[in-house]
Amino acid sequence: MAQLTCSNLTLGYESKVIIKNLSFSVNAGDYLCIVGENGSGKTTLMKTILRLLKPLEGSVTTGDGLLPDEIGYLPQQTFVQRDFPASVREIVLSGNQSRCGRRPFYTKAEKELAMANMEKMGIADLAKRCYRELSGGQQQRVLLARALCATQKMLLLDEPVSALDPAAQEEMYSLISDLHKSGITIIMISHDVDSSLRFATHVLHIGEEIFFGTKAAFIHESTCPDCSAQIKRIMGVKLL
């Protein structure tokens, strides 16, 4: 049974349709890379999966023991968010909020979970540091630790290596790969297709043409002379 199923989704804002008739499913342990040209609706799709936006048509359902509030999320950071004046520990702890309800405090177990995730991300020694004083790579580790407080089942990552230097990008990809190997399902938006495909098991390409399938099938389509020109552009394959 799939952990996540998107059926006949039509997404957009008001009367503007961005994606139409999109269907795909994600099983436990998959590593799905979502690619597409700018404005194709990648972030809109992710927000719909998280129930932050409603689809114009179609449905998003969870299964195989995954509840809608058990999906961790690492969004793209804005400049304002990078300058947020809170401690690392406070930000990581806030990942528990979905289970707090109206309770105005964190339990001992939630505090221990936050510390365990900070240790997993290698930032336990930064717990009392102010978030805005950290490097970009350190900030992404903090946000990953926060997302892990919300789930041990599925992570949604929106451009997790954007604005990072090459060394920090490699560290982030390695961390995400380790999380995937530990059993967490990964759904990641990325413009860095080549690097993402090193780790992905499946690919979803959205745009004028839609592709969903295994990494091997996507690579075949991107190099096949008779296949999609749009996917070739995403892959950087020269068209003759």
Side-chain angles (χ1 to χ4, degrees):
M1 183 179 182
Q3 275 190 331
L4 178 75
T5 302
C6 295
S7 302
N8 301 314
L9 287 181
T10 296
L11 308 178
Y13 300 92
E14 298 176 353
S15 59
K16 182 181 179 181
V17 173
I18 300 176
I19 302 174
K20 192 171 184 179
N21 297 327
L22 173 64
S23 296
F24 67 96
S25 61
V26 180
N27 294 323
D30 283 352
Y31 190 136
L32 174 65
C33 181
I34 302 176
V35 299
E37 296 177 340
N38 290 336
S40 59
K42 300 184 296 294
T43 297
T44 299
L45 171 60
M46 194 161 280
K47 289 181 177 180
T48 302
I49 292 172
L50 291 164
R51 306 191 179 214
L52 300 175
L53 294 174
K54 291 184 178 180
L56 300 179
E57 295 180 12
S59 64
V60 177
T61 57
T62 57
D64 196 19
L66 177 69
L67 300 176
D69 62 357
E70 292 180 318
I71 300 175
Y73 180 43
L74 194 160
Q76 289 191 63
Q77 281 203 90
T78 65
F79 177 79
V80 173
Q81 289 168 331
R82 287 194 291 269
D83 200 41
F84 194 66
S87 73
V88 167
R89 181 175 181 273
E90 289 170 331
I91 289 176
V92 175
L93 269 171
S94 70
N96 291 295
Q97 288 180 350
S98 63
R99 65 173 65 88
C100 286
R102 296 183 179 180
R103 172 164 44 85
F105 59 87
Y106 296 111
T107 65
K108 180 181 178 182
E110 289 164 349
K111 292 176 182 178
E112 290 175 347
L113 177 62
M115 180 54 68
N117 286 327
M118 284 190 284
E119 290 173 352
K120 185 180 294 186
M121 292 296 104
I123 54 171
D125 60 326
L126 303 177
K128 295 182 180 180
R129 288 275 303 276
C130 183
Y131 177 76
R132 65 185 176 187
E133 297 174 355
L134 305 181
S135 69
Q138 289 171 329
Q139 288 185 344
Q140 288 298 76
R141 286 172 178 260
V142 172
L143 296 180
L144 262 182
R146 180 185 186 276
L148 288 171
C149 286
T151 185
Q152 289 295 311
K153 296 180 180 179
M154 179 179 286
L155 282 175
L156 271 59
L157 313 173
D158 192 349
E159 296 287 356
V161 303
S162 62
L164 299 183
D165 62 51
Q169 288 182 14
E170 283 301 309
E171 288 181 1
M172 184 57 55
Y173 280 127
S174 179
L175 282 172
I176 295 168
S177 178
D178 288 343
L179 292 173
H180 176 243
K181 291 174 182 177
S182 74
I184 296 177
T185 304
I186 302 293
I187 301 177
M188 180 173 68
I189 292 174
S190 180
H191 284 102
D192 185 3
V193 180
D194 289 339
S195 294
S196 301
L197 288 180
R198 284 187 290 155
F199 307 103
T201 61
H202 294 75
V203 178
L204 172 64
H205 171 273
I206 56 179
E208 294 176 8
E209 300 177 48
I210 293 174
F211 171 91
F212 173 68
T214 64
K215 175 173 65 175
F218 180 74
I219 293 173
H220 169 75
E221 182 149 342
S222 71
T223 56
C224 172
D226 299 322
C227 294
S228 167
Q230 189 182 36
I231 291 178
K232 287 179 175 13
R233 287 198 299 274
I234 292 294
M235 289 292 289
V237 176
K238 185 177 180 180
L239 296 175
L240 299 178

